[in-house]
Amino acid sequence: MLVHPARVRPLAEKPRRAGPVVYWMSRDQRAEDNWALLAAADLARETGAPLHVAFALAPGYPGASLRHYDFMLRGLAETEAALRARGVPFHLLLGDPAAVAPEFLRAIAAGACVTDFDPMRVKTLWKRAVAEAFAGPLLEVDAHNVVPCVVASPRREYAAATFRPKIHKRLQEFLEPFPELPAFPDVALVATPPVDWGAARASLSVDAFPGPVPDIVPGPAAARAALDAFTAERLPGYAARRNDPNAGAVSGLSPYFHFGQLAPQRAALEVLAARAGHVADADAYLEELLVRRELSDNYCHYTPNYDRYDALPDWARKTLDAHAGDEREHRYTPAQFEAAASHEALWNAAQRELVATGRIHGYMRMYWAKKILEWSPSPRQALDTALSLNDRYALDGRDPNGVVGVLWSVGGLHDRPWATRPVYGQIRYMNERGCRRKFDANAYIARHS
């Protein structure tokens, strides 16, 4: 068996039928290092059934623009080619996934369907609809987390301190090398012509702005090259330099993780292989990759209203509500924030970085979100504004990591109470003076002016 059985859980326990096995790809958009695809391959080889991969392309997705769809479609074209090289046909289904996925399963008389784990609300609704409509079994495989989300903890964790030992306890069990995807007879390829990617792009109903980011190449090959460059060139010194947005020390892998073009487990294996001589640096990165990132999935999976103000910890809502009426020296509308039209050059530079590059340095994203809290009429509006801007412009927006990053900054999620201040209450505070102590703020401003 190629896949640890604890990665797999049934979403619809119906009898398996004769017919092809379909991997309904969604979050994990790659042919290599993909536990969900490997699980589907296992099922197909058990009975000699053909294996098909299908991706349902929604014409629009909340918060997504041409920037995100372009990155995704270019990566999927590479994934299609890699699958066809292994004898596995790839089908691009155009339309609402809740409707077109069951239609496809019926059309090819599928015997079983495998999909990947994703805690985001829209994806959960799609899977629920397919589970109800499909006559066969629907299996979900966690191919994104190193320790499967439902295995790591059966409940919402309230801090990294409680979650960390649970992850480390199971790492040895799940942090294993990936087997190679088996090759299949290419008979099924004959009836499945290559995807018309131009027609797929034309079918979209999304905003043309923001457009594609020119300086980051999408796709699994570019993702692997980016990982290799990080481990060889930037992992040494990472622990000391990661909070300096001028240092160029970050991994740059989050867009590839978000679109499933790189397995986080592959990143963990490569960083561990490069750990000798760089123990503190590797451990600092692995804390972010394994504990903080998987804690984000834990939060969204066990919190259906994960992006709502009411989902914040009780102490945080209480303190924010108590200070909601505090006088604000500056107030901005969501449109002013979006236009980088604040009084502060450093904050404006962070917003311009996000809009222009589709990325924002992690330390600056915390500062950026906290100032939205400070300069918004209410904490509720601040949360909505920060989430909306992050989703619209960041390549890794619309993601558990993005949601949790904003809620940590604005609403104290996974944090603790601090000294009371106006507007913030007991939410952790950041200011420009603190940034200037950490890095050359003027250089950052000049680069994003």
Side-chain angles (χ1 to χ4, degrees):
M1 189 170 187
L2 298 174
V3 180
H4 194 305
R7 288 192 179 277
V8 184
R9 64 171 187 157
L11 298 182
E13 296 192 78
K14 301 174 184 177
R16 182 177 173 184
R17 311 178 308 162
V21 174
V22 174
Y23 168 39
W24 170 27
M25 176 183 284
S26 182
R27 190 184 199 185
D28 295 286
Q29 300 168 22
R30 58 188 182 274
E32 293 184 346
D33 299 346
N34 187 335
W35 294 122
L37 176 57
L38 289 166
D42 258 346
L43 285 177
R45 292 198 306 170
E46 282 179 8
T47 59
L51 173 63
H52 292 252
V53 175
F55 186 93
L57 182 67
Y61 188 89
S65 70
L66 182 59
R67 167 173 293 179
H68 310 105
Y69 273 90
D70 174 81
F71 197 93
M72 180 175 72
L73 289 175
R74 290 164 67 190
L76 283 171
E78 185 180 322
T79 295
E80 178 200 21
L83 288 167
R84 291 183 70 89
R86 306 298 291 175
V88 180
F90 179 92
H91 307 261
L92 188 69
L93 317 176
L94 304 180
D96 177 6
V100 298
E103 289 172 3
F104 174 75
L105 294 170
R106 284 193 293 270
I108 70 166
C113 181
V114 175
T115 193
D116 37 40
F117 172 80
D118 192 325
M120 301 306 279
R121 189 163 44 244
V122 172
K123 305 288 190 69
T124 300
L125 293 174
W126 291 348
K127 286 186 280 192
R128 188 176 302 158
V130 173
E132 292 174 357
F134 177 45
L138 177 62
L139 303 175
E140 180 185 76
V141 180
D142 194 337
H144 189 79
N145 294 291
V146 176
V147 179
C149 182
V150 298
V151 172
S153 176
R155 64 184 65 85
R156 171 176 165 180
E157 297 289 332
Y158 285 86
T162 62
F163 189 61
R164 187 178 298 109
K166 296 179 179 181
I167 289 291
H168 286 292
K169 180 181 179 181
R170 306 300 293 269
L171 266 183
Q172 187 174 1
E173 181 181 357
F174 289 100
L175 187 53
E176 57 184 325
F178 287 100
E180 187 176 351
L181 176 68
F184 285 80
D186 60 5
V187 178
L189 294 179
V190 177
T192 310
V195 171
D196 184 341
W197 293 102
R201 192 180 180 99
S203 73
L204 301 176
S205 302
V206 297
D207 289 342
F209 179 82
V213 176
D215 68 341
I216 178 169
V217 178
R224 186 58 188 266
L227 172 61
D228 292 344
F230 170 62
T231 55
E233 301 164 12
R234 301 190 301 283
L235 182 63
Y238 178 80
R241 303 168 65 227
R242 58 181 167 165
N243 284 337
D244 181 350
N246 299 318
V250 296
S251 73
L253 299 178
S254 61
Y256 300 115
F257 291 150
H258 172 77
F259 287 101
Q261 296 169 5
L262 179 67
Q265 184 155 336
R266 172 57 61 191
L269 291 168
E270 296 301 314
V271 169
L272 280 171
R275 187 171 181 264
H278 309 291
V279 173
D281 299 314
D283 288 352
Y285 181 73
L286 291 170
E287 165 73 11
E288 295 172 359
L289 179 73
L290 300 177
V291 177
R292 301 289 176 167
R293 189 185 54 80
E294 300 200 3
L295 179 60
S296 298
D297 264 35
N298 167 274
Y299 167 74
C300 290
H301 178 65
Y302 292 112
T303 312
N305 61 335
Y306 52 77
D307 55 351
R308 306 288 190 259
Y309 184 80
D310 292 342
L312 293 176
D314 291 344
W315 70 264
R317 281 187 286 112
K318 182 177 179 180
T319 192
L320 286 170
D321 289 345
H323 290 270
D326 288 358
E327 182 178 351
R328 280 124 168 103
E329 184 178 358
H330 305 280
R331 287 193 185 205
Y332 299 108
T333 65
Q336 288 173 311
F337 282 120
E338 187 167 16
S342 86
H343 68 285
E344 188 185 276
L346 182 60
W347 190 92
N348 293 343
Q351 173 65 12
R352 283 194 292 265
E353 178 186 21
L354 176 62
V355 172
T357 71
R359 288 157 286 176
I360 183 171
H361 186 277
Y363 187 83
M364 290 307 300
R365 180 150 27 194
M366 294 187 292
Y367 179 76
W368 169 88
K370 285 183 178 294
K371 291 304 166 185
I372 293 176
L373 169 63
E374 187 174 333
W375 301 333
S376 292
S378 72
R380 289 177 182 270
Q381 183 170 315
L383 184 63
D384 290 345
T385 298
L387 286 171
S388 176
L389 291 177
N390 192 65
D391 284 355
R392 178 171 173 77
Y393 290 104
L395 280 168
D396 62 353
R398 310 152 320 284
D399 187 273
N401 258 10
V403 169
V404 169
V406 169
L407 268 66
W408 180 91
S409 301
V410 173
L413 180 68
H414 300 150
D415 205 356
R416 62 174 177 82
W418 291 73
T420 301
R421 290 178 177 270
V423 181
Y424 287 80
Q426 293 178 293
I427 301 299
R428 186 193 298 250
Y429 178 70
M430 291 178 71
N431 64 10
E432 182 177 357
R433 188 166 58 253
C435 291
R436 289 184 177 276
R437 285 196 300 268
K438 283 188 173 290
F439 61 89
D440 186 344
N442 290 338
Y444 179 80
I445 292 167
R447 194 165 74 256
H448 300 292
S449 61

